[in-house]
Amino acid sequence: MSYTTSPLAAPHARPDYDRALLWITILLLGFGLVMVYSASIAIAAGDRHTGHQETYFLVRHAAYLAVAMLAGFAVFQIPLRAWQEAAPYLFMFGILLLALVLIPGVGREVNGSRRWLSLVVVNLQPSELMKLFAVMYAADYTVRKAAYMDDFKRGFLPMLLVMLLVGGLLLREPDFGAFAVITAIAMSALFLGGLHWKQLAGLVVLLVVGFLLLIWTSPYRMQRIIGFMDPWADPFGKGYQLSHALIAFGRGEWFGVGLGGSVEKLFYLPEAHTDFLLAVIAEELGFAGVSVVLTLFAWLTLRAFAIGKQSAGLDRYFSALVAYGIGVWLGVQSIINMGVNMGVLPTKGLTLPLLSFGGSGVVANCAAIGVLLRVDWEARQVQKGYTL
């Protein structure tokens, strides 16, 4: 028996999906909408490109959320077997999009980075879609190559070469943060798929050396590291973003200065509604607000791994690896963004999943949640004895 309809269609039946996951997502999206509005009021009012309209980013983010939720619902209807069949083609499509971004006149450059494709009304950021495609491809590859995971040439090397290609394209944009997330997704899939620990250890060493070389050979990355190590040494230059983020955290104390009361969002903290949204949350809602965000993301990641474990117990290995991959994606990206905001990690252009302003990011995040809900729903049908 094949199921392609939503369990929500039966209003009087007991919910047949992960309600905790759905409510976590709704809470994060709703909270994000409020905080994006709060963080962007001054920027929108003071920018002539927004028509000096205070609600400019609020309206756009609400529209993005509507599209994202529709995308999540649509993705939920797609069986996991269809995703598995399409995984290699989606991954190749993602590589094509990453290559198009680098073509002058096709890719759109903002603040020195070429990461977007203009779709007239909105800009598409292919690296966000590539994260979802990487989850699917890594899961499919690991399942197909399960018998060769101990074989360097047949199991490990092909994935390494493909990821080097993706990494090369992302670093040309440059988008070091997306490369780090996609690398984490691929490594987790290989590890959970049975990659020999010696190969995994070698890969970790290779990645560490590679990251150090990238920093050493890139002046702007080196400047970021220097600014990260001591932001107060040059608070108006290399350490500007981090110093103002730390000031926001300091002003927030335990319970914050109150919703809407942030001073740092008044043209002091760059990208307050995107990369540094957590700093605004810390200033306005304090340690209490940040703790709620941390708890929700920890809960979201744990639910993803619980869903993966459930599928693995039913011998649905592709579904399990997809769930694990999504958990790693959202967990690692949220950790990197929070670490940057708190001064624990060097500045990276990564948004806070489900919370920050950005069309491509929130659509990709909601699509991932839709897939995760589908993994859980299919596992529940199998437990009931249905054949999918």
Side-chain angles (χ1 to χ4, degrees), residues 264-285:
E264 287 302 314
K265 70 184 181 184
L266 303 177
F267 301 100
Y268 294 105
L269 186 61
E271 310 298 336
H273 58 304
T274 55
D275 299 352
F276 285 90
L277 186 65
L278 187 69
V280 177
I281 293 172
E283 187 177 4
E284 297 190 348
L285 303 178

Side-chain angles (χ1 to χ4, degrees), residues 66-91:
V67 174
M69 287 187 286
L70 287 173
F73 183 79
V75 163
F76 178 83
Q77 312 303 316
I78 303 174
L80 267 299
R81 65 174 182 275
W83 283 112
Q84 186 170 8
E85 292 170 0
Y89 306 104
L90 290 173
F91 193 72

Side-chain angles (χ1 to χ4, degrees), residues 174 176 209-231 234 237-239 346-348:
F176 191 81
V209 172
F211 286 159
L212 291 175
L213 286 174
L214 284 171
I215 293 169
W216 185 262
T217 58
S218 176
Y220 93 92
R221 290 195 183 99
M222 181 62 76
Q223 292 301 316
R224 283 190 171 185
I225 294 296
I226 294 172
F228 157 70
M229 295 300 291
D230 186 6
D234 187 12
K238 295 184 291 290
T347 304
K348 281 281 143 284

